[in-house]
Amino acid sequence: MSSLDDLFKKPALPSNKRKLDASRDPNEIYKAAKLSANGHAKNNGKAAAVEKADDDVEAGPSTPPDDEDYGPDIPDDEEGRFFGGGVTQEENEILDYMEGQKSAEVAPEKIDSAWLRKLALNFEKKITKNAELRAKFENEPQKFMGSEADLDADIKALSILAEHPELYGEFSKLGCVASLVSLLAHENTDIAIDAVEIISELTDEDVEAEQEQWTVLVDAMIEADLLDLLISNFARLNENNESDRSGIYHALSVLENLASQTSLAEKIGQDTSVLNWLLDRIPKKESPVSQNKRYAAEAIAILLQSSPLNRKKLCELDGVDLLLQILAAYRKRDPLKGTEEEEFVENIFDSLTCVVDEPEGKQKFVEAEGVELCLIMIKEGKMSKSRALRLIDHALNGQNGSGVCKRVVEAAGLKVVFGMFMKQQDGQTTEHLLGIFSSLLRLLPANSSERIRTLAKFVEKDYEKLGKLVKLRRDYAARVAVVDNEIRNEQTKMDAEEREEMADEWDSRRLDAGLFCLQTIDVILAWLVAEDDGACKRIQSLFADRDESLALVEATIQEQLDAIVGDTEEETMTKDMLSTLVQFLT
């Protein structure tokens, strides 16, 4: 039989993608109740405790020692009486048999439509009863608190639905989704927080729901005004209160779950004031950085990654300047590794990297002196160095990056990036440096002072940068050649249909081997051949050392041309540029 301690143990909940950190005894922290197999809510309260009597007050016989055994193995006397636990061997066997029969008779309750309708009816009754008592005894809370406790238990009981997503559709049709969402406006914030947490559980990516099931549930929630009610709770919850702080956390979790769909991410960013609230939340000074502050920064990054419209709106809200101000504190100081602060800084970098892909983001980045800040980080930062380099690479990239390119040169950025290039770097850093060089050569205006200064960097010190470029090219070409040979061997064993199915995987393997860096280097070399006679001769000489020629560069660029099949403005301009460069290589 179960001990008293076992009966009052809290249920072990499954581990989800992210957990709210416990800042007090875990037994005191709210967890949504799961239903046990027989349909009853498991106890989520504290373990029952029995007060011990004072040591000096004793009644009855003394307690036996803990290690004494009173089982049936103690021999009985001749009449069947026992000297131990009070039960004969025969009686003990009967009790064991009855215990087994009782367990066998308790069949788990079937979780199906009938069960759901019963659950829904009880849930609606509890909401109605609580509303009626609150209205009738508005100034006498003791008369409606009992109904509130019942409602709280029924909200938590809905957690079992996360294990049965096949019921999401019927749950929505019964009107329970709208009722659950409406509880976000409940006068008692504890009830609202319970509802938010259940919504977070039901929409979590860990739920094994089909896309259609998830969509039906979420659509019903959106129709019930979930987003506006979430935002109203951001406004009324006070993070100085632990329960309210938990509510904010779960509300952010709901936003993350919804933003997994691009259309919903855009709706959140465009039709609500969520971005305003997030931009107001993340600059608040905290030491150490709290879980909610980090999660707010992550929520911004998720919304920006999902939607160009959200990135443009952030620019309209002067979010670029605000994010750069936050990063300015980390010019020379690194956050502690493995902390909320480190993840917070990474999320801010990710957000800016998304924003500068847009023309409006590039302009705001230059205006807010983002180029200068990144160059300082590249020179003097540690953790921020690689992230600042990636940010500059994205800001320069694209046909609208000319203004950023010009600012990099004006801010003495050429010395920084070329100096970094000549040192030993990892593959990711090298890729970003090559991307920066390619953007400068593509976007700086012809005959401009900035372009002339850039070309001069390539040819100074007896063309040492060209030697490094050609060496890198050979390294990447060798890696790609190995993969190309493997692919050719695989192709000989496949028919046309199988080859078509494998095409994407083969492209991915070639990119992993360094194809992108190889192509970028060849574009840079082609620009230098076209722009400078001295550079052209030195490049030809470097290739000739191994009986190679510019035909290798031409073949790589032609492959890039053949891969462009779209007709967007960006693709058209890239195609025109590559076609022009090929002419200088023949």
Side-chain angles (χ1 to χ4, degrees):
M1 295 178 67
S2 300
S3 68
L4 281 176
D5 286 341
D6 290 337
L7 289 175
F8 286 98
K9 281 182 180 178
K10 295 185 69 175
L13 296 181
S15 175
N16 290 327
K17 56 182 179 179
R18 186 179 295 284
K19 291 293 184 184
L20 182 63
D21 289 341
S23 57
R24 55 179 179 177
D25 183 351
N27 286 330
E28 298 179 10
I29 295 179
Y30 162 79
K31 290 288 185 182
K34 298 285 185 185
L35 290 184
S36 61
N38 61 10
H40 297 294
K42 292 183 182 178
N43 187 292
N44 271 326
K46 298 179 183 177
V50 179
E51 293 185 4
K52 293 183 179 179
D54 294 341
D55 293 340
D56 57 346
V57 180
E58 297 184 1
S62 60
T63 57
D66 291 339
D67 59 352
E68 189 168 344
D69 189 356
Y70 291 93
D73 55 333
I74 298 176
D76 299 339
D77 65 3
E78 294 178 356
E79 298 179 6
R81 294 192 298 266
F82 59 91
F83 297 111
V87 182
T88 66
Q89 177 69 28
E90 183 179 0
E91 289 169 337
N92 192 68
E93 292 175 357
I94 293 172
L95 287 171
D96 287 343
Y97 175 78
M98 292 177 65
E99 181 86 7
Q101 289 297 106
K102 183 178 179 181
S103 299
E105 290 171 3
V106 180
E109 185 172 351
K110 187 176 181 181
I111 308 298
D112 56 11
S113 296
W115 170 89
L116 179 62
R117 286 191 291 273
K118 181 180 177 182
L119 180 76
L121 181 61
N122 288 333
F123 180 54
E124 296 291 349
K125 284 181 178 179
K126 297 293 171 58
I127 294 175
T128 302
K129 181 179 179 181
N130 176 246
E132 290 174 349
L133 290 176
R134 265 189 167 272
K136 186 175 181 180
F137 302 107
E138 183 177 0
N139 299 317
E140 299 176 81
Q142 68 276 11
K143 293 187 177 180
F144 60 74
M145 289 309 294
S147 69
E148 219 129 282
D150 292 340
L151 175 58
D152 177 78
D154 271 33
I155 294 171
K156 293 174 181 177
L158 294 176
S159 177
I160 189 64
L161 286 173
E163 299 173 10
H164 298 276
E166 69 277 4
L167 298 175
Y168 278 6
E170 188 162 355
F171 185 61
S172 302
K173 291 178 183 177
L174 290 170
C176 291
V177 171
S179 298
L180 176 62
V181 171
S182 71
L183 292 176
L184 270 65
H186 198 279
E187 292 89 338
N188 184 343
T189 56
D190 289 336
I191 294 293
I193 291 168
D194 287 347
V196 170
E197 182 165 3
I198 292 299
I199 290 171
S200 174
E201 288 186 23
L202 297 180
T203 58
D204 194 275
E205 63 179 12
D206 290 339
V207 175
E208 297 179 358
E210 299 291 336
Q211 183 61 47
E212 184 178 351
Q213 296 167 345
W214 188 90
T215 301
V216 167
L217 179 73
V218 171
D219 285 350
M221 290 179 175
I222 297 297
E223 188 175 342
D225 209 17
L226 171 64
L227 296 179
D228 286 342
L229 289 171
L230 271 179
I231 294 166
S232 68
N233 278 281
F234 282 137
R236 72 167 173 159
L237 295 179
N238 177 11
E239 288 191 74
N240 292 325
N241 176 284
E242 187 170 348
S243 177
D244 286 10
R245 188 161 60 248
S246 169
I248 293 289
Y249 179 90
H250 292 299
L252 289 170
S253 176
V254 172
L255 290 180
E256 179 184 7
N257 297 342
L258 299 182
S260 63
Q261 298 293 314
T262 301
S263 59
L264 288 176
E266 287 191 350
K267 185 175 181 63
I268 292 169
Q270 300 299 307
D271 299 344
T272 72
S273 58
V274 166
L275 283 177
N276 302 69
W277 185 87
L278 293 172
L279 289 174
D280 183 60
R281 176 65 184 85
I282 59 174
K284 292 182 178 178
K285 294 188 180 298
E286 296 177 351
S287 184
V289 171
S290 69
Q291 205 175 9
N292 280 0
K293 180 172 179 175
R294 188 263 307 144
Y295 209 170
E298 182 178 346
I300 286 184
I302 291 170
L303 291 172
L304 297 178
Q305 289 167 3
S306 303
S307 166
L309 291 176
N310 288 346
R311 299 196 279 270
K312 292 175 182 177
K313 183 170 182 179
L314 187 97
C315 294
E316 296 170 3
L317 297 172
D318 288 330
V320 173
D321 185 50
L322 185 145
L323 296 177
L324 287 170
Q325 288 180 37
I326 293 173
L327 285 184
Y330 301 95
R331 285 174 296 180
K332 303 177 184 179
R333 177 180 75 84
D334 284 351
L336 291 175
K337 285 191 175 183
T339 62
E340 300 284 356
E341 185 177 17
E342 182 182 39
E343 192 171 346
F344 170 77
V345 174
E346 289 175 350
N347 285 323
I348 299 299
F349 269 113
D350 288 345
S351 296
L352 279 168
T353 302
C354 290
V355 174
V356 297
D357 283 336
E358 303 300 321
E360 297 86 350
K362 297 179 191 298
Q363 182 180 346
K364 293 287 186 180
F365 184 69
V366 171
E367 292 173 356
E369 299 183 352
V371 171
E372 289 82 352
L373 176 61
C374 285
L375 291 174
I376 291 173
M377 289 180 163
I378 293 170
K379 285 191 295 184
E380 304 177 12
K382 293 179 182 177
M383 173 263 196
S384 61
K385 184 190 293 286
S386 60
R387 292 162 179 80
L389 185 70
R390 171 173 170 249
L391 179 53
I392 283 282
D393 184 16
H394 277 258
L396 293 174
N397 191 38
Q399 58 179 315
N400 296 291
S402 58
V404 190
C405 290
K406 184 177 180 181
R407 179 59 66 89
V408 168
V409 178
E410 292 173 345
L414 293 178
K415 181 179 179 181
V416 176
V417 293
F418 276 95
M420 196 174 185
F421 175 68
M422 293 307 295
K423 297 176 183 177
Q424 185 69 30
Q425 303 293 349
D426 59 49
Q428 197 68 48
T429 299
T430 299
E431 180 177 329
H432 290 311
L433 288 168
L434 293 173
I436 290 170
F437 297 155
S438 178
S439 296
L440 291 171
L441 291 170
R442 177 181 178 180
L443 298 171
L444 287 172
N447 300 319
S448 66
S449 60
E450 292 82 12
R451 187 174 192 84
I452 293 170
R453 289 170 63 183
T454 300
L455 292 170
K457 276 291 179 182
F458 281 105
V459 302
E460 68 180 7
K461 297 183 181 179
D462 195 28
Y463 301 99
E464 65 175 3
K465 278 79 173 184
L466 300 186
K468 177 75 178 281
L469 282 170
V470 172
K471 181 180 181 302
L472 282 173
R473 188 198 186 283
R474 287 182 177 134
D475 291 342
Y476 286 117
R479 294 183 214 170
V480 174
V482 171
V483 174
D484 285 344
N485 286 332
E486 293 173 354
I487 292 172
R488 278 193 291 271
N489 290 334
E490 293 171 16
Q491 288 175 334
T492 59
K493 304 171 185 177
M494 297 181 180
D495 56 31
E497 184 177 345
E498 290 173 325
R499 292 182 184 181
E500 187 175 350
E501 291 177 355
M502 288 292 294
D504 289 341
E505 182 181 329
W506 287 334
D507 287 343
S508 178
R509 283 163 57 184
R510 297 185 76 211
L511 287 170
D512 290 342
L515 178 62
F516 177 77
C517 287
L518 174 62
Q519 292 175 337
T520 305
I521 289 173
D522 281 352
V523 169
I524 294 170
L525 293 175
W527 272 114
L528 295 172
V529 167
E531 294 266 350
D532 187 271
D533 290 339
C536 177
K537 292 177 182 178
R538 176 53 66 93
I539 292 169
Q540 288 176 321
S541 173
L542 289 167
F543 273 106
D545 289 343
R546 295 195 181 181
D547 295 327
E548 298 168 338
S549 70
L550 293 178
L552 292 174
V553 179
E554 180 185 357
T556 306
I557 293 180
Q558 188 60 53
E559 182 183 6
Q560 295 180 63
L561 270 170
D562 296 340
I564 299 176
V565 294
D567 57 357
T568 64
E569 185 178 2
E570 178 73 22
E571 288 172 318
T572 301
M573 292 185 67
T574 300
K575 192 170 184 178
D576 290 343
M577 176 196 73
L578 295 175
S579 298
T580 302
L581 291 177
V582 166
Q583 296 175 16
F584 287 94
L585 299 171
T586 54

